[in-house]
Every structure is written in C-alpha cells, then in structure tokens.
Amino acid sequence: MPSHLARVNAAARSAVQTRFTALLHHIDIEALERAFRRQKRQASAGVDGITVSDYEQNLETNLRDLCSRVHTGRYRPQPVRRVYIPKADGGRRPLGVPTLEDKIVQSAVAEVLSAIYEVDFLGFSYGFRPGRNPHQALASLHTAIMSQRVNWVLDADIRSFLDAVS
C-alpha cells in the first residue's frame, strides 16, 4: 500500500467516525499506473478493442491523458461489451467486458476505497477483498464446521438472479 494510502488507512482505523470527502487527489498517474500493472495481459478487450499491449505502447501519454480526463470531469465510462460463456448445464452465462481504461480507473478507485473500508471488515469477511479468495473462504468454513458445534448451515443459490436484474 502506498504511503499516502497507508495514512488514509491509519486515519480510518483510528477514528471510526471519520468522513472522507475529498479522495480524487489519490487517483493520480502513479495510482493509474499501479492499476494498469494489475491488469491481466491476456484479458479480452472492451468495446473499443484496445488491449493491454496496445495501451502499453504509449503508456505514459495514455495514463497522463486518462488522469487529466478523470480530474477535469471529461472521463466517461464506455459501454460494456457483452459476451456469453458456456455453462456446464449447456446454457450460457452473460459476461460484461469493460474497456481497459474503465478497468484501470475502477482498480485505482478500488485501491483508495479499500484503504478506507478494509478496517470495517471482520476477519471472516472474504468477498471482493484484496488477498482473499473463495478457496480461503471455503477453507475457513470447513475449519469452523469441523471444530465447532454447528446447529445449521444455510446455502442459497438464486438461479439466474443477476440475469434478470436491470
């Protein structure tokens, strides 16, 4: 975690009631570059067709332009490209593929928000947290069930719920 975000994290940790109202200055060229470096090199391109290797050819200029657009209010997310991936039951699962710049901005914003909200999560929270994954959640669940008395386990799967939500 960069030092300026470590300070944000420390402020969130020390004063639970702290309100963070001005965070855009944390989305700078360095934050955008860190976000770019986190992108998967073989990821599919969005509606603009730009890949990681395309963007990287003029990285400094591209990130400078992106940062400028973010800070002047000219940045607008692009439509998400819809693709369908096959499911085991023969159906197809819809998947949205954002553009590379949208992924970069999302990742940079997530980095700032994680510095603030990470302190609010409990130890057994796993969803969408850095350094945590579903396999670790399942391992924790297994350990808890095998080492403690459990009265009931709830499992819910709402079929195609997200397919129907606008």
Side-chain angles (χ1 to χ4, degrees):
M1 179 179 303
S3 61
H4 64 285
L5 290 182
R7 288 192 303 273
V8 169
N9 181 265
R13 190 175 306 282
S14 67
V16 178
Q17 298 302 317
T18 299
R19 299 272 187 233
F20 296 91
T21 57
L23 297 170
L24 188 58
H25 64 281
H26 292 294
I27 309 297
D28 55 14
I29 293 173
E30 290 79 20
L32 294 172
E33 184 173 357
R34 283 191 307 275
F36 173 79
R37 300 286 178 212
R38 286 190 293 267
Q39 301 306 309
K40 294 179 181 169
R41 297 205 52 83
Q42 300 305 318
S44 296
V47 294
D48 60 0
I50 297 175
T51 64
V52 170
S53 58
D54 295 337
Y55 201 81
E56 192 171 39
Q57 289 178 2
N58 204 1
L59 183 61
E60 189 176 324
T61 302
N62 288 335
L63 291 178
R64 208 173 317 123
D65 176 60
L66 178 58
C67 189
S68 172
R69 284 184 283 132
V70 166
H71 283 270
T72 59
R74 293 180 296 123
Y75 169 77
R76 294 288 181 263
Q78 297 299 306
V80 174
R81 183 169 65 93
R82 173 73 73 192
V83 295
Y84 293 89
I85 56 175
K87 292 171 46 173
D89 66 2
R92 299 184 319 155
R93 180 183 315 281
L95 184 70
V97 181
T99 64
L100 178 60
E101 281 196 335
D102 291 346
K103 292 178 199 176
I104 292 169
V105 172
Q106 290 169 12
S107 181
V109 169
E111 180 182 66
V112 173
L113 294 178
S114 289
I116 295 168
Y117 292 109
E118 184 65 24
V119 300
D120 294 332
F121 287 110
L122 301 174
F124 55 81
S125 298
Y126 284 85
F128 303 101
R129 289 178 68 193
R132 299 202 176 207
N133 63 48
H135 299 291
Q136 292 169 323
L138 289 172
S140 283
L141 181 62
H142 178 266
T143 299
I145 288 173
M146 299 309 286
S147 64
Q148 301 173 30
R149 178 177 158 84
V150 177
N151 292 328
W152 52 271
V153 174
L154 174 65
D155 179 25
D157 183 9
I158 304 172
R159 179 176 299 191
S160 301
F161 175 76
L162 294 175
D163 295 349
V165 175
S166 173

